[in-house]
Amino acid sequence: MATSDPSLAEAIQNTRAHLLSLRNARGHWEGHLSNSALSTATAIVALHLVDAPLHSARIAQGVRWLVLHQNKDGGWGDTTLSKSNLSTTLLCWSALSLCEPDRTEPIQHCEAWIKERTGPWSRR
């Protein structure tokens, strides 16, 4: 990439060198997925819908993981380090409600978090 700004060119060169230095001995980068409430909720719903009895152990593991990683405020963020957000919290609430509705305490805590942000619920 050509640039007329010498400081920008230097920053690009330094960034490129740094990124290339992070490759492993085989010449590529290794990544690791973060712990994710969003992906866990999505996965357990998919497993439940495909064949809940067959995947019951994995679904139970996912439910336990969600319950253990629920933020203190009652919601979930995209990762274990993220603040609670509405979209991920709704996914987790849906997953728990579908896959293990008897988990009333985390579900109620989650519902309180949602209601604080959306207002009271009513069925039409």
Side-chain angles (χ1 to χ4, degrees):
M1 169 184 262
T3 179
S4 60
D5 182 350
S7 60
L8 179 58
E10 183 181 354
I12 291 170
Q13 183 179 8
N14 290 341
T15 301
R16 182 179 187 279
H18 176 69
L19 289 172
L20 291 174
S21 76
L22 297 175
R23 293 179 300 174
N24 65 21
R26 296 188 315 210
H28 63 84
W29 295 274
E30 291 185 25
H32 302 279
L33 295 175
S34 62
N35 292 324
S36 168
L38 189 150
S39 62
T40 301
T42 303
I44 65 173
V45 167
L47 292 171
H48 179 86
L49 294 175
V50 168
D51 191 338
L54 177 65
H55 300 294
S56 62
R58 289 192 184 260
I59 293 167
Q61 283 180 307
V63 166
R64 279 192 301 277
W65 189 93
L66 287 176
V67 170
L68 286 171
H69 293 90
Q70 186 174 24
N71 289 339
K72 290 180 182 179
D73 63 10
W76 285 268
D78 294 345
T79 72
T80 55
L81 301 176
S82 302
K83 292 179 181 178
S84 297
N85 67 66
L86 187 59
S87 58
T88 301
T89 299
L90 287 170
L91 283 170
C92 293
W93 171 72
S94 299
L96 290 178
S97 297
L98 175 68
C99 297
E100 200 163 326
D102 294 337
R103 292 270 186 165
T104 55
E105 187 177 326
I107 291 172
Q108 289 173 348
H109 195 198
C110 172
E111 288 174 354
W113 186 92
I114 295 167
K115 288 176 185 176
E116 283 178 19
R117 280 134 190 97
T118 64
W121 297 354
S122 64
R123 293 190 178 238
R124 293 181 187 191

